[in-house]
Amino acid sequence: MNRSNKVVIVSHCILNQNSVVNPLARAKGAFDIIQPILDRGIGIIQLPCPEFKFLGLTRKPMTIEEYDCHDYRRLCRTLAEPVVKDLLEYKANDYEIVGLIGIHHSPTCGITGGRGIFMDEFIKLLIKEDININRFEIPACDLDDKWDELKEELVKTFNI
Ligand code: SF4
């Protein structure tokens, strides 16, 4: 079968809400936002969950300022580097990197506003390697009745 030669990059918890701070999960498992990506045969690269790796499943909610220390930045950079290396390999072989999906207001995976620590390190590396990709964020609100609207926005933002 022909592959799509397209990939999208997602924050870990978009596919696995079991990794978020307890009790902040907003789905049993994966977010419904991935449906249009699956429908179009686009591959999904799941980023690691830096907070899980740093403080585990019993961590408490923390702010960007509380996370922003040398050890956490170093961990985020260390986690981001191999992903960027993989993306370079995809690019070198003419794959399309369709977009990046983060989590708005997360101290780690927020993209706009107060940028999270991991996204800050990851995006710095992407810029350094001249990898420009569309970005999309899952809003911080209750999502139950918003999926259709969000999916439409995602399709437009990623032009898929
Ligand atoms: S660190 Fe990122 S991937 Fe992990 S739970 Fe928070 S927003 Fe999701």
Side-chain angles (χ1 to χ4, degrees):
M1 184 180 288
N2 287 339
R3 60 184 72 188
S4 70
N5 285 20
K6 291 179 183 180
V7 292
V8 70
I9 309 152
V10 301
S11 283
H12 183 96
C13 64
I14 286 170
L15 295 179
N16 177 26
Q17 280 288 292
N18 292 290
S19 67
V20 306
V21 169
N22 204 9
L24 301 182
R26 292 181 285 166
K28 282 189 184 297
F31 279 159
D32 207 32
I33 195 79
I34 58 164
Q35 199 56 55
I37 299 167
L38 296 178
D39 291 345
R40 288 158 179 79
I42 298 168
I44 302 174
I45 296 175
Q46 184 183 27
L47 292 165
C49 176
E51 291 180 16
F52 176 95
K53 292 196 181 289
F54 196 54
L55 294 173
L57 273 176
T58 56
R59 66 191 186 278
K60 301 281 178 255
M62 281 170 41
T63 62
I64 295 184
E65 290 74 24
E66 287 169 322
Y67 269 116
D68 197 358
C69 62
H70 176 76
D71 285 355
Y72 193 55
R73 278 212 175 257
R74 192 177 51 188
L75 170 68
C76 287
R77 240 187 342 267
T78 304
L79 294 172
E81 278 164 355
V83 181
V84 174
K85 203 171 165 211
D86 288 354
L87 295 179
L88 286 171
E89 175 67 8
Y90 280 116
K91 262 193 80 177
N93 287 280
D94 293 327
Y95 283 62
E96 183 184 344
I97 302 162
V98 168
L100 165 67
I101 311 179
I103 308 286
H104 191 55
H105 269 319
S106 156
T108 298
C109 296
I111 299 178
T112 59
R115 181 165 289 169
I117 312 288
F118 176 81
M119 283 300 176
D120 191 41
E121 295 299 328
F122 184 50
I123 290 170
K124 276 194 265 183
L125 289 173
L126 293 178
I127 290 169
K128 191 171 156 212
E129 297 296 349
D130 203 22
I131 302 173
N132 298 306
I133 39 180
N134 290 322
R135 301 166 190 175
F136 187 86
E137 278 177 302
I138 304 296
C141 56
D142 186 10
L143 297 167
D144 283 347
D145 56 355
K146 295 207 167 42
W147 287 119
D148 286 346
E149 198 185 314
L150 281 173
K151 283 188 253 182
E152 268 180 44
E153 266 181 57
L154 179 89
V155 166
K156 271 194 214 142
T157 306
F158 286 178
N159 195 22
I160 53 177

